[in-house]
């Protein structure tokens, strides 16, 4: 009988594997060809590089972004420089105007203060009347003052607002003294028992103190130029000898301040 010849085991073809799944053996990876190396790189260390057709576009976008950022910085610097220049010019202009015109604050004083309509023998509400004369002196040689509408004049006894009124509208030229008179009135002012008693005691001493408060919008004229509207606040403490007309001023002091805005 002829002897059988079994073919030798041939290596697995591509896509095939050898091994026994039932015995827990897994197929081995095919060995790399000779003279080659296998390098494994972790996924988080793979850097993406734009394809060659987008490289030029990436460069253009990077340049535009850098140019835009540089332009914004340049505009901001120009803006700051403009503000600094304006502030410096304003300071210089103000200094020049001060040296040329030598501005002075006007002086204010109370020249007349007549009281009527205050009855302290009754508990009924009072309707007081005041005639107030104010003297304004403008000692500036080249500066005029416009006293405009919207003023307010009040007379207080302690914290009680007794009457109110307004100043007349007028223009005070340079190196001028102007005396203005204004009539003030109050309606149905109820005085407390303590206020009435205090007034009676001060009438007996012939020293009745009042507070005069004036708030006036003004504009300054320098040469042919007028400023924006400023606010002058005048505070005067006036003491009279009685609460009937004519009353005499015993003492008076005035102060004022200017609000630029």
């Amino acid at each position: 009988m002829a002897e059988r010849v079994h073919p030798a085991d041939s290596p697995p073809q591509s896509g095939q594997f050898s091994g026994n799944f039932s015995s827990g053996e897994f197929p081995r990876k095919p060995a790399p060809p000779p003279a080659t190396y296998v390098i494994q790189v972790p996924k988080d260390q793979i850097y993406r590089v734009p394809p060659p057709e987008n490289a030029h576009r990436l460069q253009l976008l990077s340049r535009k972004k850098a140019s835009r950022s540089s332009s914004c910085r340049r505009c901001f610097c120009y803006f700051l420089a403009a503000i600094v220049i304006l502030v410096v010019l304003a300071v210089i202009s103000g200094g020049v105007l001060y040296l040329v015109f030598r501005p002075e604050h006007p002086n204010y004083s109370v020249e007349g203060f007549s009281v009527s309509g205050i009855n302290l023998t009754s508990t009924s509400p009072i309707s007081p009347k005041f005639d107030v004369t104010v003297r304004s002196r403008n000692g500036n040689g080249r500066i005029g003052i416009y006293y405009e509408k919207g003023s307010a004049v009040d007379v207080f006894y302690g914290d009680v607002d007794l009457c109110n009124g307004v100043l007349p509208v007028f223009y005070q030229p340079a190196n001028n003294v102007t005396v203005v008179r204004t009539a003030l009135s109050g309606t149905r002012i109820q005085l407390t028992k303590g206020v009435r008693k205090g007034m009676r005691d001060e009438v007996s001493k012939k020293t009745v103190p009042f507070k005069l408060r004036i708030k006036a919008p003004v504009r300054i004229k320098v040469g042919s130029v007028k400023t924006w509207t400023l606010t002058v606040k005048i505070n005067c403490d006036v003491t009279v000898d009685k609460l009937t007309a004519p009353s005499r001023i015993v003492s008076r002091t005035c102060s004022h301040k200017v609000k630029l805005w």
Side-chain angles (χ1 to χ4, degrees):
M1 186 174 183
E3 185 180 3
R4 287 185 180 177
V5 179
H6 297 280
D9 293 337
S10 61
Q13 301 294 326
S14 176
Q16 297 181 348
F17 56 89
S18 62
N20 189 351
F21 283 103
S22 61
S23 62
E25 296 181 0
F26 292 92
R28 297 180 179 178
K29 294 182 179 179
T36 60
Y37 300 90
V38 176
I39 301 177
Q40 295 183 350
V41 180
K43 185 177 180 180
D44 58 352
Q45 294 185 10
I46 298 177
Y47 298 93
R48 297 183 179 274
V49 179
E53 60 271 14
N54 291 340
H56 181 65
R57 183 180 179 185
L58 177 64
Q59 292 179 358
L60 291 178
L61 292 176
S62 300
R63 291 176 183 175
K64 286 182 180 180
K65 185 177 180 180
S67 177
R68 190 180 300 112
S69 176
S70 177
S71 178
C72 291
R73 286 196 298 268
R74 189 161 47 247
C75 291
F76 182 70
C77 292
Y78 289 158
F79 177 73
L80 287 181
I83 292 179
V84 172
I85 291 173
L86 289 177
V87 171
V88 172
L89 290 177
V91 172
I92 294 175
S93 300
V96 171
L97 289 176
Y98 179 82
L99 293 175
V100 172
F101 295 100
R102 297 286 183 177
E104 299 178 5
H105 288 291
N107 294 322
Y108 301 97
S109 62
V110 178
E111 299 298 318
F113 201 87
S114 179
V115 187
S116 62
I118 299 179
N119 184 5
L120 299 179
T121 61
S122 172
T123 58
S124 301
I126 62 173
S127 297
K129 296 182 183 296
F130 288 77
D131 285 330
V132 179
T133 303
V134 179
R135 178 178 181 269
S136 174
R137 178 182 177 276
N138 179 17
N140 293 285
R142 301 180 182 181
I143 298 176
I145 304 174
Y146 288 91
Y147 290 83
E148 301 184 333
K149 293 181 179 180
S151 62
V153 184
D154 293 88
V155 173
F156 290 83
Y157 177 81
D159 295 330
V160 182
D161 191 352
L162 295 176
C163 59
N164 52 72
V166 297
L167 288 178
V169 177
F170 66 97
Y171 171 69
Q172 185 175 22
N175 288 325
N176 174 266
V177 175
T178 300
V179 177
V180 295
R181 182 178 177 181
T182 181
L184 312 176
S185 61
T187 304
R188 300 190 61 80
I189 307 298
Q190 184 65 58
L191 301 179
T192 64
K193 184 183 295 186
V195 171
R196 291 179 182 275
K197 182 180 183 304
M199 277 190 170
R200 286 196 296 266
D201 293 344
E202 288 160 346
V203 168
S204 64
K205 300 176 184 178
K206 295 186 177 183
T207 55
V208 186
F210 293 99
K211 296 177 182 179
L212 177 65
R213 301 290 182 262
I214 301 175
K215 182 179 179 181
V218 301
R219 295 180 67 185
I220 308 300
K221 181 182 179 183
V222 182
S224 59
V225 178
K226 295 181 183 178
T227 66
W228 61 93
T229 301
L230 314 176
T231 301
V232 175
K233 294 183 178 181
I234 306 169
N235 299 322
C236 298
D237 294 329
V238 183
T239 302
V240 296
D241 61 345
K242 56 185 178 180
L243 297 178
T244 58
S247 56
R248 182 177 62 87
I249 296 177
V250 177
S251 64
R252 56 201 163 186
T253 58
C254 289
S255 63
H256 70 278
K257 58 182 180 180
V258 180
K259 187 178 180 180
L260 299 179
W261 310 105

